[in-house]
Amino acid sequence: MKKIVSIFLLTVFVVIGSYNVEAAGFKDVTKEHFAYDAVMWAAEYDIIDGYADGSFKPNATITEQQFAKLLSNYYELEESYDELKKLTSTANWSDDFYNRLASYGVPLNGYFDNNIRATAVKRGVMAQAITHLAEGKRGLNDSIQFLLDYYISTGQNFKYENRDLQKFFGISNNMTRAQVVTILHRMDSSNFYDIAEDAEEIFQNASNTTLNTRAINAQNQLDKQLQLTTVGKSPWAGTYSFYYKWGKGSTDYNRRDAIISNASSKSFDISITTNDGLEVGSVEGTATITSSKKAVMNKSSNGNRCVMEFDLLNNALKVTEVDCSAERSEGTNFSGTLKKQ
């Protein structure tokens, strides 16, 4: 029996020992590095990966798609039942992470464009994305203040302290891999590992909103100065939006959002969201291009009758709903002129 126990303990020690060697095996993160503890913690819980050469590259700029992976892993986000219909349709290693984040409505830029995913994530985007999952929907300033109040992040431009919150925080500065891991480690140390009710409600999706619509709403949640747009090869391709606030109430507004993707000389895929106060609707489908400036859609991807006409204007898209009542609440429609973003 002692022999069996000894063999078992030896096996455990070997497994644990080899795991620690692997976790601590980043040749460019020494014990003296400011992010050492955070990196070791993230490696232990499979939040991060290193590179094939055994490095972590702690000072390298982190891309939005790398940040998306870390954020998904940290919160162990549930898999999405749907997939985003992207402007750049080529499969990407980060697709699953963006599908998950979209299902929770996390504000990010790269949902529909692989090229944007590969750009450096800004500190302001990081602040809004993390705060959305930890605390709920917040604007840029409230997101920054949340991170500062709980000592999860600090400012970078101290000459603006108590003068200009956004400049103090450095919203347009790039993040490094070590900085993001350090922030997630502080989140864990402060017990911010439960998902906020706002994000959970978006994921539960009681209103049966499409994943593309949730992604559009998430992008629009980002502060305007942090939003990035896609330059499409087709004159039709791109994102379009209209917003009009007609009262002081939280639902006193009209909004239209559209994304045109997979555009060819003959057709394009389109996803449209409409919101008129409490009345909402969303539809996805394929439109046939009838001339250089006109297109028409006859049914939705759900198979419902949905007739819409599209006119390509100068930096805008005119949408005319003929009949698409099956895809929206009574009291609103999809018609409107949306400006290209």
Side-chain angles (χ1 to χ4, degrees):
M1 181 67 180
K2 289 182 180 179
K3 184 177 181 181
I4 294 175
V5 172
S6 298
I7 293 173
F8 172 76
L9 291 175
L10 178 60
T11 303
V12 170
F13 290 146
V14 168
V15 171
I16 293 176
S18 63
Y19 177 78
N20 287 336
V21 167
E22 182 180 350
F26 300 124
K27 61 185 181 183
D28 51 355
V29 182
T30 65
K31 290 185 177 180
E32 291 73 31
H33 195 282
F34 80 89
Y36 177 81
D37 289 339
V39 172
M40 294 304 101
W41 162 82
E44 179 181 356
Y45 288 98
D46 295 326
I47 295 172
I48 61 168
D49 296 314
Y51 290 88
D53 63 357
S55 66
F56 177 68
K57 295 182 173 54
N59 300 321
T61 299
I62 190 169
T63 64
E64 191 187 88
Q65 60 190 354
Q66 291 172 333
F67 173 64
K69 178 180 179 180
L70 265 61
L71 198 56
S72 296
N73 287 346
Y74 175 78
Y75 275 103
E76 298 180 339
L77 299 182
E78 297 284 346
E79 290 188 14
S80 171
Y81 295 108
D82 199 358
E83 295 182 357
L84 291 168
K85 295 178 176 61
K86 300 185 296 180
L87 291 170
T88 50
S89 56
T90 306
N92 183 276
W93 65 264
S94 61
D95 286 343
D96 177 59
F97 300 113
Y98 275 96
N99 291 339
R100 296 183 189 205
L101 290 160
S103 69
Y104 286 89
V106 179
L108 290 171
N109 276 306
Y111 284 115
F112 305 105
D113 191 326
N114 293 343
N115 297 315
I116 291 179
R117 294 181 184 188
T119 61
V121 69
K122 305 298 183 184
R123 284 173 59 82
V125 174
M126 175 277 300
Q128 286 198 255
I130 286 179
T131 304
H132 175 89
L133 284 169
E135 190 77 351
K137 288 183 180 179
R138 297 291 185 274
L140 178 57
N141 284 356
D142 287 343
S143 298
I144 294 170
Q145 199 61 57
F146 165 74
L147 296 181
L148 296 177
D149 287 346
Y150 288 95
Y151 304 99
I152 293 166
S153 185
T154 62
Q156 288 193 328
N157 305 311
F158 289 93
K159 65 180 180 180
Y160 293 108
E161 189 172 9
N162 300 320
R163 294 170 52 199
D164 189 316
L165 181 64
Q166 294 182 12
K167 289 183 178 179
F168 167 65
F169 188 74
I171 62 168
S172 298
N173 295 344
N174 296 335
M175 299 289 297
T176 67
R177 288 166 57 81
Q179 287 171 342
V180 170
V181 170
T182 298
I183 285 172
L184 293 179
H185 187 219
R186 290 173 181 169
M187 290 278 293
D188 182 70
S189 299
S190 299
N191 298 322
F192 284 110
Y193 37 72
D194 291 328
I195 299 173
E197 289 184 7
D198 286 356
E200 276 290 355
E201 287 180 5
I202 295 172
F203 178 74
Q204 294 302 323
N205 197 23
S207 60
N208 199 29
T209 305
T210 67
L211 191 64
N212 266 39
T213 296
R214 282 180 277 172
I216 292 171
N217 292 337
Q219 287 181 323
N220 289 331
Q221 190 179 322
L222 282 174
D223 193 85
K224 283 289 186 183
Q225 60 192 308
L226 296 173
Q227 294 180 17
L228 302 177
T229 57
T230 299
V231 178
K233 294 181 180 179
S234 165
W236 290 92
T239 59
Y240 301 83
S241 184
F242 165 80
Y243 179 79
Y244 173 68
K245 180 75 173 172
W246 48 267
K248 295 182 179 180
S250 60
T251 59
D252 296 343
Y253 66 90
N254 303 101
R255 180 156 202 151
R256 306 284 186 274
D257 293 286
I259 292 180
I260 292 180
S261 60
N262 299 326
S264 68
S265 60
K266 297 181 179 179
S267 65
F268 56 76
D269 293 337
I270 185 162
S271 173
I272 310 176
T273 302
T274 178
N275 192 314
D276 291 318
L278 296 175
E279 309 301 334
V280 298
S282 61
V283 63
E284 295 177 1
T286 300
T288 300
I289 298 173
T290 56
S291 72
S292 62
K293 299 292 184 180
K294 291 184 177 294
V296 63
M297 181 174 74
N298 291 310
K299 66 178 181 179
S300 72
S301 57
N302 293 328
N304 295 322
R305 174 177 168 81
C306 184
V307 182
M308 289 192 201
E309 297 174 349
F310 306 100
D311 293 274
L312 187 61
L313 308 178
N314 185 22
N315 206 35
L317 177 72
K318 182 181 178 182
V319 180
T320 303
E321 178 188 333
V322 178
D323 178 12
C324 194
S325 57
E327 300 285 348
R328 57 173 173 76
S329 302
E330 186 176 351
T332 189
N333 59 62
F334 291 103
S335 298
T337 300
L338 291 62
K339 184 178 179 181
K340 195 167 189 177
Q341 303 300 300

